[in-house]
Amino acid sequence: MEMFKCAFVAFFVLLFVSCATEDKADKVFDVEKTAEAEYIPVNELLEINNIVKLDDYLILQNGSEGVEDFFFVYSYPEIEFLYSFAKRGRGPNEYFFPAVIKNTPVNILGSRDHATDNLVFYEITDSEAVLRRTIPFKSEDSFRFFWEINQVNDSVILTKHQGYNTGATESWDVARCELIDSLPNTFEKLRHRLGKSYYTIFDDYFLVVEGGRFAEAYFMIDRIEFGNIDDNGQMSIVSAVGTDTPPDFYLYRRNETTEFNVDRNIVY
């Protein structure tokens, strides 16, 4: 677990320093350190596709269709299995395609079920997960999905709202399911330049939020951006590290699978 702690500390030091200094900076990491992992056996038969760290619990999200429940709850820091919940299905309080909402407070686990278009929030205890809120949250844009969902505060979420060839970082009012602000993609001209050869995979990014700050780390472009979110949910990019120009991408042929493949496009 120390490895995870070191990784988190290093990331947020980089985030805060970058937000507080010049608009753009080149950073060179001269010192290499080797972290040794602590191995903890997991006896439950899971296909783990997400890990959520709450204040007092660690939750593993299961992706295997052969297992009935989606979320498996473990004590923290002991990492002892307590119980599982959120059954797979189409009935009441059942889910089919849940995506975790990051940055929920204290011991609250939030998720959006893409099958039902509901936000759900559970309070995690030692003995059970207690359903606290269910909020309908549906986008009228059927060509895009809500990915990388982050809770900013009680009323605002920040999400990557993305489809196959279009997307944006957006802030939403949770209670009213209304769009507050949409942040244009830094490499928006790339879509026009590549035309029918463009896919969002080219300028896709990993999104992380901490309070009123966020960062976007691009997968196939050597760039990390840092931004602010005000109390009303308005967003702005305030600094960046890396290149301002996207590389020359390998352009996928018709019917060819687009994927992160280092033999075709460099993954940063």
Side-chain angles (χ1 to χ4, degrees):
M1 303 309 297
E2 291 299 319
M3 177 181 67
F4 292 110
K5 294 178 182 177
C6 291
F8 287 143
V9 170
F11 176 81
F12 285 110
V13 166
L14 172 62
L15 190 153
F16 293 140
V17 169
S18 299
C19 285
T21 57
E22 64 274 10
D23 288 341
K24 181 178 180 297
D26 292 326
K27 289 183 171 57
V28 179
F29 298 93
D30 295 324
V31 179
E32 293 185 1
K33 293 185 178 181
T34 301
E36 295 184 0
E38 176 184 354
Y39 294 92
I40 300 173
V42 175
N43 297 320
E44 291 66 43
L45 297 177
L46 303 176
E47 180 183 318
I48 302 170
N49 60 13
N50 207 339
I51 300 175
V52 183
K53 166 64 176 64
L54 303 180
D55 280 15
D56 301 305
Y57 305 96
L58 192 73
I59 299 178
L60 304 183
Q61 181 176 354
N62 167 59
S64 172
E65 295 183 0
V67 179
E68 187 177 33
D69 291 340
F70 277 107
F71 298 116
F72 285 69
V73 181
Y74 297 78
S75 61
Y76 182 84
E78 300 83 6
I79 317 298
E80 295 179 355
F81 175 66
L82 300 177
Y83 56 89
S84 63
F85 72 101
K87 295 189 180 301
R88 184 187 303 273
R90 299 282 189 172
N93 296 333
E94 293 181 343
Y95 310 97
F96 199 73
F97 191 11
V100 168
I101 300 172
K102 295 181 290 186
N103 304 322
T104 49
V106 196
N107 290 318
I108 300 295
L109 177 72
S111 67
R112 181 183 187 272
D113 187 14
H114 291 314
T116 61
D117 294 323
N118 284 332
L119 302 179
V120 293
F121 296 88
Y122 280 89
E123 181 180 355
I124 307 301
T125 70
D126 289 345
S127 58
E128 63 177 336
V130 182
L131 181 61
R132 293 303 187 193
R133 288 196 298 169
T134 299
I135 304 172
F137 196 82
K138 182 177 182 179
S139 169
E140 298 301 326
D141 188 344
S142 60
F143 295 100
R144 294 192 295 162
F145 290 89
F146 290 108
W147 305 114
E148 301 286 355
I149 307 171
N150 294 264
Q151 184 169 344
V152 179
N153 52 47
D154 289 340
S155 59
V156 177
I157 64 171
L158 194 68
T159 180
K160 182 172 65 177
H161 198 189
Q162 192 173 84
Y164 203 48
N165 55 17
T166 183
T169 301
E170 296 177 348
S171 58
W172 285 73
D173 183 298
V174 174
R176 293 180 290 185
C177 190
E178 291 182 354
L179 177 66
I180 300 173
D181 192 19
S182 180
L183 189 65
N185 195 307
T186 298
F187 302 98
E188 189 174 17
K189 293 181 179 179
L190 185 65
R191 181 164 60 93
H192 301 291
R193 177 163 64 86
L194 297 182
K196 293 182 179 180
S197 297
Y198 171 79
Y199 299 98
T200 50
I201 192 174
F202 291 137
D203 52 354
D204 197 3
Y205 51 88
F206 180 79
L207 174 66
V208 63
V209 177
E210 179 70 18
R213 292 179 175 179
F214 67 94
E216 298 177 345
Y218 289 84
F219 297 143
M220 291 186 176
I221 302 175
D222 188 12
R223 182 180 177 89
I224 302 177
E225 298 173 341
F226 305 95
N228 289 335
I229 318 162
D230 66 20
D231 294 338
N232 297 319
Q234 299 294 320
M235 300 174 291
S236 60
I237 298 293
V238 297
S239 64
V241 177
T243 184
D244 295 322
T245 305
D248 292 327
F249 294 106
Y250 170 88
L251 301 182
Y252 298 93
R253 296 181 292 270
R254 181 175 295 182
N255 298 326
E256 184 179 6
T257 302
T258 56
E259 59 185 8
F260 296 119
N261 188 327
V262 294
D263 294 327
R264 295 174 179 168
N265 291 304
I266 297 175
V267 179
Y268 291 96

